Amino acid sequence: MFKDTYHDLLMSSWLFFFFLIFSSYIVLNICFGLVFALFPYSFVIPGHLADYPPFVAGFFMSIQTVSTIGYGGMLPNHIFGEIIMAVESLIGLLFTAVSTGLTFARLSQPSAQILFADIFLHTETDQGPALVFRIANARGNDIINAKATLSVLTLNQKSGNLNMVGLHDLQLKRDQSPTFYLNWVLVHDLDEASPLSGYSSQEILAPDMIYILNIFGHDSSFNQTVFQYHRYRGIDGRSNRYFEDMIFSTEEGQTMIRLENLSELKK
């Protein structure tokens, strides 16, 4: 369960991450609130909390201790209170350090907003049959020296009497771009050099065919290397279709992109 907790916390959603931090903070204070409640004589209880159960005063005493607030109205006045305060302050420092470190690590991760079309095409181009994939840069910044790789994973490749997983690299017609700013159409020609040469359309679009598209480059805004990938199954492909245009020009001469057309096909 806790085999790779650090990675799990980095990869979890922000909603779950903040829920975990908040719930851990509450549980920590509840636990020490109960400890303080067992020794109500160990700390000064202010008058406005005197009529409440000891746990209530202990809970707020714990909050002031773990957060190092210390307004002065609540303070230890017995050796037990001093010991509890010392232990909780150490745990509070560790909790704050871990929470801050994880938050910074999550915020500092390089990320790209590369969108992948929901489908890919098995269609005819000027050079013959090809696989066509389309991606777009939703952030609108420059990804310098962008590079793309395409691989196919076959789950039913046979070698003698053994069923094996086959992995083949598919050469893209243009696998590099000096700058990836708007969109990018990636084409693999199904010629004699292709590992898929001789495959029928049914075989290329079979459910057990998995196409893995990797994109990486240097983000000019954050000055960091970014990476993103997407997996397509064969059933995500469409035969003899073409993507709808995404690029258009405004009356002012600006080049714009319609991201909503990323997965749209021409009628």
Side-chain angles (χ1 to χ4, degrees):
M1 179 178 179
F2 300 103
K3 185 176 180 180
D4 200 354
T5 305
Y6 178 72
H7 177 268
D8 293 339
L9 289 173
L10 288 184
M11 295 297 104
S12 63
S13 68
W14 278 106
L15 182 62
F16 175 80
F17 177 74
F18 282 123
F19 171 78
L20 184 63
I21 296 296
F22 176 77
S23 59
S24 300
Y25 178 78
I26 295 298
V27 170
L28 175 63
N29 285 294
I30 288 176
C31 292
F32 276 95
L34 290 172
V35 174
F36 276 116
L38 292 175
F39 305 96
Y41 54 84
S42 65
F43 64 102
V44 176
I45 299 178
H48 66 279
L49 295 178
D51 296 332
Y52 289 89
F55 168 74
V56 176
F59 179 77
F60 289 112
M61 176 67 183
S62 174
I63 288 179
Q64 292 194 28
T65 301
V66 77
S67 59
T68 68
I69 294 175
Y71 286 116
M74 305 178 72
L75 68 158
N77 65 348
H78 191 278
I79 185 61
F80 287 148
E82 298 287 358
I83 293 174
I84 298 170
M85 179 272 298
V87 173
E88 185 177 13
S89 62
L90 175 60
I91 295 176
L93 288 173
L94 294 175
F95 177 81
T96 301
V98 171
S99 302
T100 303
L102 285 171
T103 302
F104 175 78
R106 291 173 61 93
L107 289 172
S108 62
Q109 288 185 94
S111 63
Q113 288 294 325
I114 299 175
L115 303 180
F116 295 79
D118 296 331
I119 58 176
F120 69 94
L121 306 181
H122 174 224
T123 191
E124 289 287 332
T125 67
D126 294 340
Q127 305 298 320
L131 297 179
V132 180
F133 300 80
R134 187 159 71 171
I135 61 176
N137 184 1
R139 187 167 283 162
N141 62 333
D142 288 313
I143 298 180
I144 308 301
N145 294 328
K147 183 174 176 60
T149 64
L150 177 64
S151 303
V152 60
L153 186 68
T154 57
L155 304 180
N156 61 352
Q157 180 171 313
K158 292 187 177 182
S159 177
N161 295 324
L162 299 176
N163 288 328
M164 302 181 64
V165 174
L167 180 64
H168 304 281
D169 294 329
L170 303 181
Q171 182 63 45
L172 295 169
K173 182 176 293 186
R174 182 169 66 89
D175 61 359
Q176 297 188 57
S177 179
T179 176
F180 173 29
Y181 172 63
L182 295 176
N183 72 330
W184 191 0
V185 177
L186 300 159
V187 179
H188 169 70
D189 289 325
L190 296 170
D191 52 20
E192 295 179 355
S194 171
L196 300 180
S197 176
Y199 278 54
S200 67
S201 179
Q202 290 75 18
E203 291 174 317
I204 289 176
L205 303 182
D208 57 4
M209 298 286 279
I210 299 176
Y211 300 91
I212 305 171
L213 183 59
N214 301 299
I215 309 294
F216 52 93
H218 189 81
D219 191 312
S220 61
S221 299
F222 298 97
N223 196 28
Q224 291 178 314
T225 299
V226 292
F227 169 84
Q228 207 161 333
Y229 78 100
H230 190 78
R231 286 194 295 264
Y232 294 92
R233 296 181 62 195
I235 56 177
D236 296 324
R238 301 292 183 270
S239 291
N240 301 318
R241 300 293 300 273
Y242 297 94
F243 283 118
E244 187 65 70
D245 293 334
M246 293 181 65
I247 305 299
F248 69 97
S249 297
T250 64
E251 295 180 355
E252 293 78 18
Q254 291 181 317
T255 300
M256 304 293 289
I257 184 172
R258 292 189 177 96
L259 294 176
E260 61 273 16
N261 285 357
L262 180 61
S263 302
E264 294 297 319
L265 298 175
K266 291 185 176 180
K267 305 299 183 183

